[in-house]
PDB file of all heavy atoms in Angstrom:
ATOM      1  N   GLU K   1       6.162   3.906   8.966  1.00 93.00           N
ATOM      2  CA  GLU K   1       5.705   3.582   7.508  1.00 93.00           C
ATOM      3  C   GLU K   1       5.916   2.104   7.238  1.00 93.00           C
ATOM      4  O   GLU K   1       7.077   1.585   7.507  1.00 93.00           O
ATOM      5  CB  GLU K   1       6.363   4.429   6.524  1.00 93.00           C
ATOM      6  CG  GLU K   1       5.974   4.122   5.071  1.00 93.00           C
ATOM      7  CD  GLU K   1       6.616   4.970   4.034  1.00 93.00           C
ATOM      8  OE1 GLU K   1       6.947   6.148   4.342  1.00 93.00           O
ATOM      9  OE2 GLU K   1       6.787   4.543   2.888  1.00 93.00           O
ATOM     10  N   TRP K   2       4.830   1.479   6.691  1.00 93.00           N
ATOM     11  CA  TRP K   2       4.993   0.040   6.341  1.00 93.00           C
ATOM     12  C   TRP K   2       4.609  -0.193   4.963  1.00 93.00           C
ATOM     13  O   TRP K   2       3.687   0.425   4.467  1.00 93.00           O
ATOM     14  CB  TRP K   2       4.139  -0.798   7.265  1.00 93.00           C
ATOM     15  CG  TRP K   2       4.579  -0.812   8.715  1.00 93.00           C
ATOM     16  CD1 TRP K   2       4.402   0.107   9.641  1.00 93.00           C
ATOM     17  CD2 TRP K   2       5.358  -1.806   9.285  1.00 93.00           C
ATOM     18  NE1 TRP K   2       4.990  -0.158  10.840  1.00 93.00           N
ATOM     19  CE2 TRP K   2       5.610  -1.446  10.645  1.00 93.00           C
ATOM     20  CE3 TRP K   2       5.921  -3.031   8.931  1.00 93.00           C
ATOM     21  CZ2 TRP K   2       6.335  -2.170  11.592  1.00 93.00           C
ATOM     22  CZ3 TRP K   2       6.692  -3.811   9.809  1.00 93.00           C
ATOM     23  CH2 TRP K   2       6.904  -3.426  11.150  1.00 93.00           C
ATOM     24  N   GLN K   3       5.282  -1.045   4.325  1.00 92.00           N
ATOM     25  CA  GLN K   3       4.918  -1.437   2.872  1.00 92.00           C
ATOM     26  C   GLN K   3       4.410  -2.900   2.836  1.00 92.00           C
ATOM     27  O   GLN K   3       5.004  -3.748   3.421  1.00 92.00           O
ATOM     28  CB  GLN K   3       6.188  -1.371   1.956  1.00 92.00           C
ATOM     29  CG  GLN K   3       6.874  -0.039   1.919  1.00 92.00           C
ATOM     30  CD  GLN K   3       6.332   0.954   0.857  1.00 92.00           C
ATOM     31  OE1 GLN K   3       5.606   0.471   0.083  1.00 92.00           O
ATOM     32  NE2 GLN K   3       6.770   2.136   0.950  1.00 92.00           N
ATOM     33  N   ILE K   4       3.226  -3.020   2.168  1.00 93.00           N
ATOM     34  CA  ILE K   4       2.598  -4.287   2.175  1.00 93.00           C
ATOM     35  C   ILE K   4       2.307  -4.708   0.788  1.00 93.00           C
ATOM     36  O   ILE K   4       1.703  -3.898   0.014  1.00 93.00           O
ATOM     37  CB  ILE K   4       1.310  -4.279   3.031  1.00 93.00           C
ATOM     38  CG1 ILE K   4       1.620  -3.836   4.389  1.00 93.00           C
ATOM     39  CG2 ILE K   4       0.634  -5.692   3.044  1.00 93.00           C
ATOM     40  CD1 ILE K   4       0.368  -3.607   5.246  1.00 93.00           C
ATOM     41  N   GLU K   5       2.748  -5.889   0.322  1.00 92.00           N
ATOM     42  CA  GLU K   5       2.533  -6.425  -1.049  1.00 92.00           C
ATOM     43  C   GLU K   5       1.549  -7.504  -0.997  1.00 92.00           C
ATOM     44  O   GLU K   5       1.417  -8.323  -0.059  1.00 92.00           O
ATOM     45  CB  GLU K   5       3.822  -6.896  -1.605  1.00 92.00           C
ATOM     46  CG  GLU K   5       4.921  -5.842  -1.821  1.00 92.00           C
ATOM     47  CD  GLU K   5       4.669  -4.964  -3.040  1.00 92.00           C
ATOM     48  OE1 GLU K   5       3.846  -5.373  -3.902  1.00 92.00           O
ATOM     49  OE2 GLU K   5       5.272  -3.847  -3.014  1.00 92.00           O
ATOM     50  N   TYR K   6       0.626  -7.593  -2.027  1.00 92.00           N
ATOM     51  CA  TYR K   6      -0.318  -8.595  -2.194  1.00 92.00           C
ATOM     52  C   TYR K   6      -0.235  -9.416  -3.480  1.00 92.00           C
ATOM     53  O   TYR K   6       0.379  -8.904  -4.454  1.00 92.00           O
ATOM     54  CB  TYR K   6      -1.734  -7.887  -2.140  1.00 92.00           C
ATOM     55  CG  TYR K   6      -1.927  -7.165  -0.895  1.00 92.00           C
ATOM     56  CD1 TYR K   6      -1.623  -5.785  -0.754  1.00 92.00           C
ATOM     57  CD2 TYR K   6      -2.605  -7.739   0.278  1.00 92.00           C
ATOM     58  CE1 TYR K   6      -1.845  -5.092   0.418  1.00 92.00           C
ATOM     59  CE2 TYR K   6      -2.823  -6.991   1.384  1.00 92.00           C
ATOM     60  CZ  TYR K   6      -2.423  -5.694   1.494  1.00 92.00           C
ATOM     61  OH  TYR K   6      -2.717  -5.020   2.594  1.00 92.00           O
ATOM     62  N   ALA K   7      -0.739 -10.620  -3.485  1.00 86.00           N
ATOM     63  CA  ALA K   7      -0.704 -11.369  -4.644  1.00 86.00           C
ATOM     64  C   ALA K   7      -1.605 -10.720  -5.758  1.00 86.00           C
ATOM     65  O   ALA K   7      -2.576 -10.146  -5.487  1.00 86.00           O
ATOM     66  CB  ALA K   7      -1.292 -12.792  -4.330  1.00 86.00           C
ATOM     67  N   SER K   8      -1.102 -11.030  -6.989  1.00 87.00           N
ATOM     68  CA  SER K   8      -1.858 -10.408  -8.108  1.00 87.00           C
ATOM     69  C   SER K   8      -1.551 -11.109  -9.422  1.00 87.00           C
ATOM     70  O   SER K   8      -0.579 -11.965  -9.379  1.00 87.00           O
ATOM     71  CB  SER K   8      -1.489  -8.959  -8.344  1.00 87.00           C
ATOM     72  OG  SER K   8      -0.196  -8.748  -8.553  1.00 87.00           O
ATOM     73  N   THR K   9      -2.316 -10.945 -10.361  1.00 85.00           N
ATOM     74  CA  THR K   9      -2.035 -11.533 -11.624  1.00 85.00           C
ATOM     75  C   THR K   9      -0.928 -10.831 -12.400  1.00 85.00           C
ATOM     76  O   THR K   9      -0.547  -9.682 -12.046  1.00 85.00           O
ATOM     77  CB  THR K   9      -3.217 -11.581 -12.626  1.00 85.00           C
ATOM     78  OG1 THR K   9      -3.691 -10.196 -12.722  1.00 85.00           O
ATOM     79  CG2 THR K   9      -4.388 -12.364 -11.945  1.00 85.00           C
ATOM     80  N   PRO K  10      -0.280 -11.556 -13.416  1.00 82.00           N
ATOM     81  CA  PRO K  10       0.857 -10.856 -14.128  1.00 82.00           C
ATOM     82  C   PRO K  10       0.390  -9.464 -14.732  1.00 82.00           C
ATOM     83  O   PRO K  10      -0.690  -9.381 -15.236  1.00 82.00           O
ATOM     84  CB  PRO K  10       1.202 -11.822 -15.253  1.00 82.00           C
ATOM     85  CG  PRO K  10       0.847 -13.215 -14.666  1.00 82.00           C
ATOM     86  CD  PRO K  10      -0.356 -12.940 -13.833  1.00 82.00           C
ATOM     87  N   GLY K  11       1.239  -8.470 -14.593  1.00 88.00           N
ATOM     88  CA  GLY K  11       0.951  -7.141 -15.155  1.00 88.00           C
ATOM     89  C   GLY K  11       0.088  -6.328 -14.241  1.00 88.00           C
ATOM     90  O   GLY K  11      -0.224  -5.204 -14.559  1.00 88.00           O
ATOM     91  N   ILE K  12      -0.227  -6.771 -12.985  1.00 92.00           N
ATOM     92  CA  ILE K  12      -1.033  -6.047 -12.023  1.00 92.00           C
ATOM     93  C   ILE K  12      -0.189  -5.960 -10.829  1.00 92.00           C
ATOM     94  O   ILE K  12       0.385  -6.896 -10.297  1.00 92.00           O
ATOM     95  CB  ILE K  12      -2.393  -6.691 -11.725  1.00 92.00           C
ATOM     96  CG1 ILE K  12      -3.202  -6.888 -13.085  1.00 92.00           C
ATOM     97  CG2 ILE K  12      -3.123  -5.924 -10.709  1.00 92.00           C
ATOM     98  CD1 ILE K  12      -3.626  -5.492 -13.658  1.00 92.00           C
ATOM     99  N   ASN K  13      -0.225  -4.759 -10.203  1.00 93.00           N
ATOM    100  CA  ASN K  13       0.470  -4.490  -8.919  1.00 93.00           C
ATOM    101  C   ASN K  13      -0.512  -4.091  -7.882  1.00 93.00           C
ATOM    102  O   ASN K  13      -1.343  -3.177  -8.101  1.00 93.00           O
ATOM    103  CB  ASN K  13       1.635  -3.446  -9.073  1.00 93.00           C
ATOM    104  CG  ASN K  13       2.406  -3.325  -7.760  1.00 93.00           C
ATOM    105  OD1 ASN K  13       1.989  -2.554  -6.901  1.00 93.00           O
ATOM    106  ND2 ASN K  13       3.496  -4.086  -7.616  1.00 93.00           N
ATOM    107  N   ILE K  14      -0.442  -4.711  -6.637  1.00 94.00           N
ATOM    108  CA  ILE K  14      -1.357  -4.330  -5.590  1.00 94.00           C
ATOM    109  C   ILE K  14      -0.504  -4.190  -4.286  1.00 94.00           C
ATOM    110  O   ILE K  14       0.229  -5.081  -3.864  1.00 94.00           O
ATOM    111  CB  ILE K  14      -2.517  -5.353  -5.282  1.00 94.00           C
ATOM    112  CG1 ILE K  14      -3.208  -5.622  -6.572  1.00 94.00           C
ATOM    113  CG2 ILE K  14      -3.339  -4.916  -4.230  1.00 94.00           C
ATOM    114  CD1 ILE K  14      -4.286  -6.769  -6.464  1.00 94.00           C
ATOM    115  N   ARG K  15      -0.585  -2.960  -3.704  1.00 95.00           N
ATOM    116  CA  ARG K  15       0.208  -2.805  -2.468  1.00 95.00           C
ATOM    117  C   ARG K  15      -0.511  -1.783  -1.606  1.00 95.00           C
ATOM    118  O   ARG K  15      -1.339  -1.056  -2.008  1.00 95.00           O
ATOM    119  CB  ARG K  15       1.586  -2.210  -2.828  1.00 95.00           C
ATOM    120  CG  ARG K  15       1.503  -0.786  -3.451  1.00 95.00           C
ATOM    121  CD  ARG K  15       2.981  -0.354  -3.729  1.00 95.00           C
ATOM    122  NE  ARG K  15       3.565  -1.018  -4.871  1.00 95.00           N
ATOM    123  CZ  ARG K  15       4.756  -0.673  -5.315  1.00 95.00           C
ATOM    124  NH1 ARG K  15       5.501   0.214  -4.760  1.00 95.00           N
ATOM    125  NH2 ARG K  15       5.212  -1.324  -6.417  1.00 95.00           N
ATOM    126  N   ALA K  16      -0.189  -1.792  -0.290  1.00 95.00           N
ATOM    127  CA  ALA K  16      -0.657  -0.836   0.611  1.00 95.00           C
ATOM    128  C   ALA K  16       0.576  -0.112   1.267  1.00 95.00           C
ATOM    129  O   ALA K  16       1.580  -0.780   1.562  1.00 95.00           O
ATOM    130  CB  ALA K  16      -1.513  -1.412   1.654  1.00 95.00           C
ATOM    131  N   ILE K  17       0.481   1.163   1.598  1.00 95.00           N
ATOM    132  CA  ILE K  17       1.415   1.808   2.336  1.00 95.00           C
ATOM    133  C   ILE K  17       0.704   2.394   3.688  1.00 95.00           C
ATOM    134  O   ILE K  17      -0.247   3.287   3.513  1.00 95.00           O
ATOM    135  CB  ILE K  17       1.989   2.969   1.529  1.00 95.00           C
ATOM    136  CG1 ILE K  17       2.714   2.426   0.330  1.00 95.00           C
ATOM    137  CG2 ILE K  17       2.990   3.797   2.422  1.00 95.00           C
ATOM    138  CD1 ILE K  17       3.162   3.460  -0.680  1.00 95.00           C
ATOM    139  N   ALA K  18       1.098   1.920   4.761  1.00 95.00           N
ATOM    140  CA  ALA K  18       0.434   2.197   5.983  1.00 95.00           C
ATOM    141  C   ALA K  18       1.286   3.182   6.825  1.00 95.00           C
ATOM    142  O   ALA K  18       2.489   2.896   7.095  1.00 95.00           O
ATOM    143  CB  ALA K  18       0.185   1.004   6.847  1.00 95.00           C
ATOM    144  N   LEU K  19       0.754   4.369   7.154  1.00 95.00           N
ATOM    145  CA  LEU K  19       1.480   5.467   7.728  1.00 95.00           C
ATOM    146  C   LEU K  19       0.820   5.738   9.168  1.00 95.00           C
ATOM    147  O   LEU K  19      -0.398   6.011   9.279  1.00 95.00           O
ATOM    148  CB  LEU K  19       1.489   6.721   6.977  1.00 95.00           C
ATOM    149  CG  LEU K  19       2.006   6.546   5.532  1.00 95.00           C
ATOM    150  CD1 LEU K  19       1.423   7.579   4.635  1.00 95.00           C
ATOM    151  CD2 LEU K  19       3.483   6.687   5.577  1.00 95.00           C
ATOM    152  N   ARG K  20       1.650   5.743  10.255  1.00 93.00           N
ATOM    153  CA  ARG K  20       1.151   6.023  11.605  1.00 93.00           C
ATOM    154  C   ARG K  20       1.644   7.367  12.122  1.00 93.00           C
ATOM    155  O   ARG K  20       2.856   7.658  11.991  1.00 93.00           O
ATOM    156  CB  ARG K  20       1.515   4.951  12.559  1.00 93.00           C
ATOM    157  CG  ARG K  20       0.932   5.120  13.942  1.00 93.00           C
ATOM    158  CD  ARG K  20       1.333   4.060  14.967  1.00 93.00           C
ATOM    159  NE  ARG K  20       2.682   4.107  15.130  1.00 93.00           N
ATOM    160  CZ  ARG K  20       3.371   4.852  16.013  1.00 93.00           C
ATOM    161  NH1 ARG K  20       2.640   5.766  16.700  1.00 93.00           N
ATOM    162  NH2 ARG K  20       4.741   4.704  16.203  1.00 93.00           N
ATOM    163  N   HIS K  21       0.763   8.120  12.705  1.00 92.00           N
ATOM    164  CA  HIS K  21       1.150   9.386  13.399  1.00 92.00           C
ATOM    165  C   HIS K  21       0.400   9.347  14.766  1.00 92.00           C
ATOM    166  O   HIS K  21      -0.823   9.397  14.793  1.00 92.00           O
ATOM    167  CB  HIS K  21       0.781  10.619  12.694  1.00 92.00           C
ATOM    168  CG  HIS K  21       1.079  11.945  13.445  1.00 92.00           C
ATOM    169  ND1 HIS K  21       2.384  12.257  13.681  1.00 92.00           N
ATOM    170  CD2 HIS K  21       0.294  12.838  13.950  1.00 92.00           C
ATOM    171  CE1 HIS K  21       2.364  13.423  14.341  1.00 92.00           C
ATOM    172  NE2 HIS K  21       1.176  13.818  14.521  1.00 92.00           N
ATOM    173  N   GLY K  22       1.104   9.177  15.889  1.00 90.00           N
ATOM    174  CA  GLY K  22       0.489   8.860  17.085  1.00 90.00           C
ATOM    175  C   GLY K  22      -0.326   7.641  17.084  1.00 90.00           C
ATOM    176  O   GLY K  22       0.133   6.573  16.771  1.00 90.00           O
ATOM    177  N   GLN K  23      -1.582   7.617  17.403  1.00 87.00           N
ATOM    178  CA  GLN K  23      -2.495   6.495  17.410  1.00 87.00           C
ATOM    179  C   GLN K  23      -3.309   6.402  16.053  1.00 87.00           C
ATOM    180  O   GLN K  23      -4.097   5.436  15.897  1.00 87.00           O
ATOM    181  CB  GLN K  23      -3.502   6.540  18.545  1.00 87.00           C
ATOM    182  CG  GLN K  23      -2.770   6.568  19.904  1.00 87.00           C
ATOM    183  CD  GLN K  23      -1.886   5.361  20.168  1.00 87.00           C
ATOM    184  OE1 GLN K  23      -2.361   4.187  19.824  1.00 87.00           O
ATOM    185  NE2 GLN K  23      -0.691   5.580  20.533  1.00 87.00           N
ATOM    186  N   ARG K  24      -3.039   7.274  15.166  1.00 89.00           N
ATOM    187  CA  ARG K  24      -3.796   7.374  13.921  1.00 89.00           C
ATOM    188  C   ARG K  24      -3.055   6.815  12.703  1.00 89.00           C
ATOM    189  O   ARG K  24      -1.906   7.153  12.544  1.00 89.00           O
ATOM    190  CB  ARG K  24      -4.161   8.866  13.737  1.00 89.00           C
ATOM    191  CG  ARG K  24      -5.082   9.162  12.518  1.00 89.00           C
ATOM    192  CD  ARG K  24      -5.364  10.573  12.412  1.00 89.00           C
ATOM    193  NE  ARG K  24      -6.193  11.002  11.229  1.00 89.00           N
ATOM    194  CZ  ARG K  24      -6.565  12.207  10.982  1.00 89.00           C
ATOM    195  NH1 ARG K  24      -6.269  13.114  11.858  1.00 89.00           N
ATOM    196  NH2 ARG K  24      -7.398  12.466   9.977  1.00 89.00           N
ATOM    197  N   TRP K  25      -3.834   6.017  11.975  1.00 93.00           N
ATOM    198  CA  TRP K  25      -3.251   5.410  10.777  1.00 93.00           C
ATOM    199  C   TRP K  25      -3.839   6.016   9.529  1.00 93.00           C
ATOM    200  O   TRP K  25      -5.039   6.173   9.496  1.00 93.00           O
ATOM    201  CB  TRP K  25      -3.507   3.874  10.718  1.00 93.00           C
ATOM    202  CG  TRP K  25      -2.616   3.116  11.720  1.00 93.00           C
ATOM    203  CD1 TRP K  25      -3.017   2.797  13.047  1.00 93.00           C
ATOM    204  CD2 TRP K  25      -1.385   2.561  11.566  1.00 93.00           C
ATOM    205  NE1 TRP K  25      -1.990   2.084  13.595  1.00 93.00           N
ATOM    206  CE2 TRP K  25      -0.985   1.922  12.725  1.00 93.00           C
ATOM    207  CE3 TRP K  25      -0.434   2.536  10.408  1.00 93.00           C
ATOM    208  CZ2 TRP K  25       0.221   1.293  12.838  1.00 93.00           C
ATOM    209  CZ3 TRP K  25       0.740   1.878  10.589  1.00 93.00           C
ATOM    210  CH2 TRP K  25       1.139   1.339  11.786  1.00 93.00           C
ATOM    211  N   THR K  26      -3.098   6.274   8.505  1.00 94.00           N
ATOM    212  CA  THR K  26      -3.496   6.678   7.182  1.00 94.00           C
ATOM    213  C   THR K  26      -2.989   5.551   6.207  1.00 94.00           C
ATOM    214  O   THR K  26      -1.731   5.245   6.265  1.00 94.00           O
ATOM    215  CB  THR K  26      -2.986   8.045   6.749  1.00 94.00           C
ATOM    216  OG1 THR K  26      -3.628   9.050   7.602  1.00 94.00           O
ATOM    217  CG2 THR K  26      -3.407   8.351   5.323  1.00 94.00           C
ATOM    218  N   VAL K  27      -3.795   5.096   5.311  1.00 95.00           N
ATOM    219  CA  VAL K  27      -3.297   4.041   4.471  1.00 95.00           C
ATOM    220  C   VAL K  27      -3.573   4.466   2.938  1.00 95.00           C
ATOM    221  O   VAL K  27      -4.689   4.882   2.643  1.00 95.00           O
ATOM    222  CB  VAL K  27      -4.061   2.709   4.747  1.00 95.00           C
ATOM    223  CG1 VAL K  27      -3.635   1.603   3.797  1.00 95.00           C
ATOM    224  CG2 VAL K  27      -3.913   2.276   6.201  1.00 95.00           C
ATOM    225  N   ALA K  28      -2.548   4.224   2.146  1.00 95.00           N
ATOM    226  CA  ALA K  28      -2.600   4.393   0.739  1.00 95.00           C
ATOM    227  C   ALA K  28      -2.737   3.095   0.062  1.00 95.00           C
ATOM    228  O   ALA K  28      -1.847   2.216   0.319  1.00 95.00           O
ATOM    229  CB  ALA K  28      -1.450   5.216   0.193  1.00 95.00           C
ATOM    230  N   LEU K  29      -3.729   2.762  -0.732  1.00 95.00           N
ATOM    231  CA  LEU K  29      -3.936   1.568  -1.434  1.00 95.00           C
ATOM    232  C   LEU K  29      -3.642   1.745  -2.882  1.00 95.00           C
ATOM    233  O   LEU K  29      -4.376   2.612  -3.461  1.00 95.00           O
ATOM    234  CB  LEU K  29      -5.381   1.006  -1.154  1.00 95.00           C
ATOM    235  CG  LEU K  29      -5.726   0.780   0.239  1.00 95.00           C
ATOM    236  CD1 LEU K  29      -7.248   0.370   0.316  1.00 95.00           C
ATOM    237  CD2 LEU K  29      -4.805  -0.234   0.985  1.00 95.00           C
ATOM    238  N   LEU K  30      -2.687   1.234  -3.536  1.00 96.00           N
ATOM    239  CA  LEU K  30      -2.318   1.377  -4.888  1.00 96.00           C
ATOM    240  C   LEU K  30      -2.640   0.034  -5.587  1.00 96.00           C
ATOM    241  O   LEU K  30      -2.126  -1.015  -5.178  1.00 96.00           O
ATOM    242  CB  LEU K  30      -0.883   1.749  -4.996  1.00 96.00           C
ATOM    243  CG  LEU K  30      -0.555   3.178  -4.519  1.00 96.00           C
ATOM    244  CD1 LEU K  30      -0.259   3.116  -2.962  1.00 96.00           C
ATOM    245  CD2 LEU K  30       0.804   3.695  -5.168  1.00 96.00           C
ATOM    246  N   ARG K  31      -3.327   0.073  -6.689  1.00 95.00           N
ATOM    247  CA  ARG K  31      -3.679  -1.128  -7.381  1.00 95.00           C
ATOM    248  C   ARG K  31      -3.893  -0.870  -8.808  1.00 95.00           C
ATOM    249  O   ARG K  31      -4.423   0.164  -9.219  1.00 95.00           O
ATOM    250  CB  ARG K  31      -4.870  -1.831  -6.760  1.00 95.00           C
ATOM    251  CG  ARG K  31      -6.046  -0.905  -6.593  1.00 95.00           C
ATOM    252  CD  ARG K  31      -7.209  -1.573  -5.913  1.00 95.00           C
ATOM    253  NE  ARG K  31      -8.249  -0.564  -5.605  1.00 95.00           N
ATOM    254  CZ  ARG K  31      -9.555  -0.742  -5.568  1.00 95.00           C
ATOM    255  NH1 ARG K  31     -10.017  -2.024  -5.707  1.00 95.00           N
ATOM    256  NH2 ARG K  31     -10.415   0.162  -5.322  1.00 95.00           N
ATOM    257  N   GLY K  32      -3.496  -1.801  -9.650  1.00 95.00           N
ATOM    258  CA  GLY K  32      -3.726  -1.653 -11.066  1.00 95.00           C
ATOM    259  C   GLY K  32      -2.579  -2.052 -12.027  1.00 95.00           C
ATOM    260  O   GLY K  32      -1.709  -2.780 -11.594  1.00 95.00           O
ATOM    261  N   SER K  33      -2.605  -1.567 -13.258  1.00 95.00           N
ATOM    262  CA  SER K  33      -1.656  -1.986 -14.244  1.00 95.00           C
ATOM    263  C   SER K  33      -0.226  -1.579 -13.813  1.00 95.00           C
ATOM    264  O   SER K  33       0.056  -0.394 -13.559  1.00 95.00           O
ATOM    265  CB  SER K  33      -2.103  -1.280 -15.564  1.00 95.00           C
ATOM    266  OG  SER K  33      -1.064  -1.259 -16.525  1.00 95.00           O
ATOM    267  N   VAL K  34       0.714  -2.518 -14.049  1.00 93.00           N
ATOM    268  CA  VAL K  34       2.162  -2.240 -13.858  1.00 93.00           C
ATOM    269  C   VAL K  34       2.587  -1.228 -14.870  1.00 93.00           C
ATOM    270  O   VAL K  34       3.394  -0.333 -14.587  1.00 93.00           O
ATOM    271  CB  VAL K  34       2.953  -3.518 -13.950  1.00 93.00           C
ATOM    272  CG1 VAL K  34       4.407  -3.224 -13.924  1.00 93.00           C
ATOM    273  CG2 VAL K  34       2.613  -4.468 -12.719  1.00 93.00           C
ATOM    274  N   ALA K  35       2.023  -1.262 -16.101  1.00 91.00           N
ATOM    275  CA  ALA K  35       2.385  -0.375 -17.138  1.00 91.00           C
ATOM    276  C   ALA K  35       2.040   1.023 -16.769  1.00 91.00           C
ATOM    277  O   ALA K  35       2.848   1.999 -16.914  1.00 91.00           O
ATOM    278  CB  ALA K  35       1.714  -0.723 -18.449  1.00 91.00           C
ATOM    279  N   THR K  36       0.841   1.239 -16.149  1.00 94.00           N
ATOM    280  CA  THR K  36       0.414   2.634 -15.778  1.00 94.00           C
ATOM    281  C   THR K  36       1.183   3.046 -14.545  1.00 94.00           C
ATOM    282  O   THR K  36       1.664   4.272 -14.435  1.00 94.00           O
ATOM    283  CB  THR K  36      -1.084   2.650 -15.539  1.00 94.00           C
ATOM    284  OG1 THR K  36      -1.740   2.333 -16.770  1.00 94.00           O
ATOM    285  CG2 THR K  36      -1.498   4.032 -15.114  1.00 94.00           C
ATOM    286  N   LEU K  37       1.470   2.125 -13.671  1.00 94.00           N
ATOM    287  CA  LEU K  37       2.341   2.442 -12.435  1.00 94.00           C
ATOM    288  C   LEU K  37       3.705   2.994 -12.894  1.00 94.00           C
ATOM    289  O   LEU K  37       4.098   3.920 -12.394  1.00 94.00           O
ATOM    290  CB  LEU K  37       2.472   1.192 -11.602  1.00 94.00           C
ATOM    291  CG  LEU K  37       3.463   1.298 -10.393  1.00 94.00           C
ATOM    292  CD1 LEU K  37       3.047   2.334  -9.457  1.00 94.00           C
ATOM    293  CD2 LEU K  37       3.655  -0.100  -9.792  1.00 94.00           C
TER     294      LEU K  37
END
């Protein structure tokens, strides 16, 4: 499992969570308001 952070404007959060099982990757992309997060 890997956590990846990206640049964003104040009040916005953008990140990816990359998960590997064998040779296969599943990625969760989370983006949007810090308040809603």
Side-chain angles (χ1 to χ4, degrees):
E1 177 177 334
W2 293 81
Q3 302 272 349
I4 305 172
E5 296 284 343
Y6 300 88
S8 60
T9 56
I12 300 296
N13 183 272
I14 304 173
R15 69 179 70 179
I17 300 173
L19 302 157
R20 182 182 65 81
H21 179 65
Q23 300 301 313
R24 181 177 178 178
W25 288 90
T26 296
V27 181
L29 305 174
L30 293 81
R31 52 185 172 150
S33 162
V34 171
T36 299
L37 172 63

